[in-house]
Structures are given as C-alpha cells and as structure tokens.
Amino acid sequence: MKRPTASASPVASGETESDLFARDRCHYLIALFIRYLGFGMMSLASTYIIYDLSGSVGVTGLLVVCAALPAVLLSATATSLANRWGGPKLYVVAQASVLGEAGA
C-alpha cells in the first residue's frame, strides 16, 4: 500500500490556485485585523497612562501628536524608497522594523 505524500502542488490536494489565494487572503486579512486591533488597544492604553501620570490634557495631546509625527513626516521618504526598491526586500525590511518596534 502506498503512503500519501505531501505535495506543494495545489492540483494534487484538489484545490485550485484561486482557492489557495482566497484562503491565504482571508488569513492575511484576519491577521491584519488582529494587528490593528492590538495597536489600537496599545495606543488607547498608553494615552490613558500618560494622562493618568501627568494629569494634563495638553501634555497628553502633545505626546500623542509627537508619536504620530514620524509617520506623517517620513511618508514621502518611505514612498520614494518603496518605488525604488519594491518587492519582497522592502517587505522584509518593513516587517523587521515593526518587530523591532514591538520588542523595544
């Protein structure tokens, strides 16, 4: 009796390429939702902690604006780098920076 072997081909498993794409896209969207949900919870909690420690709405607002400032100021630079490099190399660098930020 032959043992079934795992194959990387979607045809061997009975799934078409579009089925695999739909499944992977669904997993990707779920992962993005969880990521942004966690980011929102962290942002809300840190804002609350800043307000609780400082007691000042002005200081809290200033720190929230300063936290968002790099994304606003560096977006043009990031766009030019994305147009120059593109592809998987940029994706790896971006994910490494996100992991480095999460570990800090």
Side-chain angles (χ1 to χ4, degrees):
M1 184 177 214
K2 274 185 151 181
R3 282 186 169 169
T5 58
S7 175
S9 171
V11 177
S13 64
E15 293 180 316
T16 64
E17 191 171 324
S18 63
D19 291 339
L20 291 174
F21 178 74
R23 184 190 67 206
D24 290 344
R25 183 179 56 199
C26 182
H27 290 160
Y28 177 72
L29 292 175
I30 290 170
L32 276 181
F33 174 75
I34 292 170
R35 176 184 174 193
Y36 287 120
L37 180 68
F39 179 76
M41 290 170 56
M42 184 187 67
S43 178
L44 183 65
S46 63
T47 304
Y48 175 76
I49 290 171
I50 291 168
Y51 177 73
D52 192 42
L53 292 175
S54 69
S56 169
V57 175
V59 170
T60 304
L62 182 65
L63 288 174
V64 168
V65 168
C66 287
L69 207 54
V72 173
L73 295 178
L74 297 176
S75 61
T77 305
T79 302
S80 68
L81 287 176
N83 289 335
R84 185 175 305 152
W85 288 355
K89 187 188 309 184
L90 181 65
Y91 179 76
V92 169
V93 170
Q95 292 302 316
S97 70
V98 168
L99 288 175
E101 181 182 318

